[in-house]
Amino acid sequence: MSVNVSVNEPAVKAAAENAAGANTENKEWRPRIVAFCCNWCSYAGADLAGSSRLSYPADVKIIRVPCSCRVNPMFILKAFERGADGVILCGCHPGDCHYSTGNYYTRRRMALLFSMLDYIGVERGRTRVEWVSAAEGARFSAVMNDFVAKITELGENVKVGDLRCKK
Amino acid sequence: MQRLGVFVCWCGSNIAATVDVDRVVAEAKVQPGVVFAQDYQYMCSEAGQNIIKDAIKQYGLNGIVVCSCSPRMHEATFRKAAEAAGLNPYMVEIANIREHCSWIHKDKEAGTEKACVLMRAAVAKVLLNTPLKAGESKVVKRALVIGGGIAGIQTALDIADAGFPVDIVEKNATIGGRMAQLDKTFPTLDCSSCILTPKMVEAKTNENIRLITYAEVEEVSGFVGSFKAKIRKKARFVKEDVCTGCGVCMSKCPSKKGLNEFNMGLNNRPAIYIPFAQAIPNVAVIDKTQCIKLNTGKCGLCEKVCTAGAIDYTQQDEFIEEEYGAIVMATGFRPIDASKFDEYSYSTCKDVVTSLELERIMNAAGPTGGVLLRPSDGKHPHSIVFVQCVGSRDVSGRGKPYCSKICCMYTAKHAMLIRDKYPDVEVHVFYIDVRTPGKNFDEFYRRAAEQYDVDYIKGQVGKVWEEDGHLVVRGVDLIANEQIVLNTDMVVLATAIEPDPTARKVANMLTASIDTNDFITEAHPKLRPVESPTAGIFLSGVCQGPKDIPETVSQAGAAASKVIGLLSKNKLTTNPCVAHSDELLCNGCSCCEKVCPYGAISYDTHLINDHGVKETRRVALVNEALCQGCGACTVVCPSGAMDLKGFSNKQIMAEVEAICL
């Protein structure tokens, strides 16, 4: 299912229009973005962004996980295989993890995953790790706006997308 | 066979204005497993919950999705409703279509599309949910209060009054905190000591309270109901139970050049000292960096003059280990360093002081005996300029972006007290705004301005410098729209307040969330203002945000009532979303054991029936009482044996697939 969205941010819109040129369909192409957010910091930060009405594009869909260290690299690969154009993983700031050390594992695991994604040719910009605290609603919104703009510039993810998954 | 129900909340117009609720319901009805879908204006209301309960019974639902606000808001509400209708509470999933959707998207088409996707992901997840049963854990009926200022004291007193034992851990040699340093309090001009010291004495005499002063919490482990804390009681070099507080040692000590912290360094104190006359405990302490005996081995004068025999130069730091059911953070604040704002010449001119320093100068027990004198030459000042918002409401990065809340009121208090006692002293106040919300606050400020003729000037000060033995203040009067230059004898800076520097360390130890300004984050800014999102951790006083004394005391009482509520329970239900290992897949590699921050994983040999083949294998076992459900072990497990209940690999994969569909 293609998602048809009108966007307020001019930069995002301009980039989207460029990307749409390559699309054979008439519909404006919008990226699919999966965001994993830890329950304690980033998910609460996203909630704060919401209650503060700090908008970001609707392309971002959030999955709640207890801790960023719950995110198996397999989930990210699965997302790309299924046609996600970008995956962002958000956790508590280093040192502030609710489980003390979870985000340190995340940091190391993601460093490894990034080099693997590099190796298989998925652009580096498609995956990102960000630390967002429960009090940083504004930061959450800014991070998502920036990420969506970058993914829109990169265009559709064709490298590892399984064509059988596309309708 | 799954029989799912989907309930879509309008949240009045909060969701319905940007999400076409009917379309979400229609879309829900065609999802696999969904047999019932309905929308309602307020799903969390009693009527809304009844819709859910009735549907569960009528349609025999074995899983539900509620599309509403954040699960952090109402997941517990809907779980309870489900349970009341006979459904396992963990068969409930929330699609957050308010905070993560309707509130941030203005376009209804986009919002509706996204809400449908979020609903689909939740349905995909709940299809794989399994009924979970919460376990039980014990409650240690003892509370720990970190910080012995008015916030900590009041919290401890209220908890103790309810019959529960409390330990107060205070890093300084006495309890009392910042309030003990104050001279008078607004808006009643009560003497601060007169209302605080009886409470300090009460804290000492209350049989349910144990004071652990000159001590810091070093380590905390465990979880709500049973925290374990290790407390370092620093060596005072004075036996606490022997010292009578007579003060002879203080007068004989030859090393008298220590800065008196209690007087904000405005005068000196000896190496052995009692912080102030009403200190609790009224016991001396030796500053080991300053003591001649401890540094050179010579002297020992205090030991000779102490008739009680309380001095002990060999004393070592002691460690206290204790279990607690609840922990209250009451770590308080300090004024920021005014020397960062060099335009006011704080570091070069002695007659530029901070408000807390002025507080000590005005205090009868302070360095000048309560007589208003210039620090540089000890002369009576004829004019004083107050500068407001020094480092508050400062977005330049030098100061703090927030309003410190108390400065407008204490400056009005200072101005009024000075004008009352010394009518010959001219008082000018430079301000950005005067903020006086609070009972009798604005009346108080108007009294200062109108009755006491304090000259309030709207505008900021650009520079303060010294010239011919007096100070010159250059500022702007925004109402007259002109630059003004004032000659004055003293300048008082209303410095911003910031959380005590220990707050971040303590918060990290307690895994309590903390914001960019180092204030501790509350579980909900309106509905749960005295609780941290981390269960069992409560907040009292300025560690949560700037507050005056009345607010601090009310918050302390609120935190205490939450603690009492927790300690009154005999058992707590534990989070059932914990890790578990599949014995058939586990190869006993120990990877999970190494990453577990709680030591919840152990190994044992089990007799495994692997598809008819019986063999003894070493397998991982999860202690469900210790596991907190972070999931670190699930990712590290090479064989895929370890999984997390409620957030299983399959569930998250299903969500990913539903979103990318």
Side-chain angles (χ1 to χ4, degrees), chain A:
Chain A
M1 181 169 61
S2 297
V3 183
N4 190 7
V5 182
S6 73
V7 185
N8 302 322
E9 291 73 12
V12 176
K13 194 160 190 175
E17 275 163 9
N18 288 340
N23 206 324
T24 50
E25 284 178 43
N26 239 351
K27 271 185 178 176
E28 186 190 8
W29 174 80
R30 295 299 311 154
R32 284 175 203 173
I33 292 172
V34 178
F36 292 100
C37 292
C38 83
N39 180 47
W40 301 95
C41 291
S42 306
Y43 195 90
D47 279 358
L48 183 60
S51 53
S52 316
R53 315 296 200 274
L54 299 164
S55 75
Y56 52 88
D59 312 318
V60 178
K61 313 288 192 305
I62 296 171
I63 295 179
R64 183 165 72 128
V65 285
C67 176
S68 58
C69 75
R70 174 65 189 95
V71 176
N72 197 312
M74 283 301 293
F75 301 162
I76 295 171
L77 293 172
K78 170 70 99 181
F80 282 130
E81 182 206 326
R82 287 279 159 170
D85 301 299
V87 180
I88 183 163
L89 171 50
C90 302
C92 308
H93 286 273
D96 292 352
C97 176
H98 180 77
Y99 304 101
S100 304
T101 51
N103 50 5
Y104 295 139
Y105 294 127
T106 305
R107 195 161 61 178
R108 283 184 239 162
R109 283 170 191 162
M110 289 308 129
L112 290 174
L113 179 70
F114 288 163
S115 52
M116 188 191 123
L117 287 168
D118 268 348
Y119 179 72
I120 61 176
V122 174
E123 294 92 334
R124 179 65 186 77
R126 291 195 188 277
T127 30
R128 197 189 279 192
V129 176
E130 290 280 356
W131 313 124
V132 181
S133 83
E136 291 176 329
R139 185 174 144 72
F140 187 87
S141 169
V143 162
M144 290 306 157
N145 276 308
D146 181 62
F147 189 61
V148 173
K150 294 274 159 61
I151 296 298
T152 313
E153 263 171 48
L154 282 171
E156 206 168 344
N157 161 40
V158 288
K159 186 71 189 178
V160 288
D162 184 341
L163 293 175
R164 290 168 300 177
C165 301
K166 302 254 165 158
K167 275 189 185 168

Side-chain angles (χ1 to χ4, degrees), chain B residues 197-336:
Chain B
T197 46
K199 286 209 179 283
M200 289 164 65
V201 174
E202 235 183 293
K204 185 181 165 55
T205 49
N206 191 309
E207 57 182 16
N208 278 330
I209 298 181
R210 172 166 68 157
L211 295 181
I212 309 174
T213 52
Y214 212 48
E216 283 178 49
V217 180
E218 292 246 309
E219 279 173 39
V220 176
S221 60
F223 44 88
V224 56
S226 63
F227 292 104
K228 279 196 188 75
K230 186 175 173 192
I231 300 156
R232 176 193 288 270
K233 195 163 165 37
K234 294 173 278 188
R236 296 174 89 104
F237 305 103
V238 175
K239 293 175 199 152
E240 215 174 307
D241 46 346
V242 179
C243 175
T244 59
C246 68
V248 173
C249 53
M250 289 173 73
S251 58
K252 299 288 181 198
C253 176
S255 173
K256 290 200 191 303
K257 291 285 180 207
L259 284 181
N260 188 333
E261 299 90 350
F262 185 69
N263 282 335
M264 299 307 290
L266 289 169
N267 64 352
N268 294 329
R269 57 148 177 80
I272 185 164
Y273 65 101
I274 296 171
F276 56 97
Q278 299 83 18
I280 300 272
N282 189 16
V283 170
V285 56
I286 294 179
D287 181 342
K288 66 177 173 189
T289 58
Q290 192 194 338
C291 173
I292 300 167
K293 173 78 179 176
L294 289 171
N295 286 295
T296 66
K298 291 169 193 158
C299 186
L301 215 55
C302 50
E303 190 178 24
K304 281 172 207 143
V305 298
C306 181
T307 48
I311 313 293
D312 176 7
Y313 299 117
T314 62
Q315 211 175 64
Q316 298 288 321
D317 290 2
E318 278 173 45
F319 291 94
I320 298 169
E321 287 187 24
E322 189 68 75
E323 284 194 34
Y324 300 98
I327 300 179
V328 183
M329 265 189 87
T331 45
F333 72 97
R334 66 172 182 185
I336 63 165

Side-chain angles (χ1 to χ4, degrees), chain A residues 1 32 47 56 60 70, chain B residues 70 100 105 114 647 649 660:
Chain A
M1 181 169 61
R32 284 175 203 173
D47 279 358
Y56 52 88
V60 178
R70 174 65 189 95
Chain B
S70 172
H100 293 186
H105 307 314
K114 182 171 176 180
F647 294 94
N649 289 327
C660 295

Side-chain angles (χ1 to χ4, degrees), chain B residues 187 189 409 412-413 416 440-448:
Chain B
L189 298 181
M409 285 302 288
K413 172 189 78 176
M416 198 186 286
N440 295 326
F441 281 16
D442 203 59
E443 293 89 326
F444 184 81
Y445 149 67
R446 282 209 310 272
R447 238 173 93 202

Side-chain angles (χ1 to χ4, degrees), chain B residues 360-431:
Chain B
R360 293 314 302 151
I361 293 172
M362 306 275 288
N363 190 291
T368 58
V371 184
L372 180 63
L373 298 173
R374 304 203 325 172
S376 63
D377 53 10
K379 283 188 186 153
H380 174 67
H382 296 286
S383 155
I384 296 184
V385 171
F386 286 86
V387 182
Q388 295 302 97
C389 291
V390 175
S392 296
R393 306 173 69 193
D394 182 337
V395 287
S396 71
R398 275 197 309 170
K400 304 289 177 183
Y402 51 84
C403 167
S404 295
K405 201 169 187 179
I406 55 175
C407 324
C408 287
M409 285 302 288
Y410 69 59
T411 295
K413 172 189 78 176
H414 287 151
M416 198 186 286
L417 289 171
I418 290 170
R419 291 283 298 155
D420 188 60
K421 209 167 169 189
Y422 311 100
D424 64 308
V425 179
E426 268 179 40
V427 175
H428 309 276
V429 180
F430 281 91
Y431 67 95

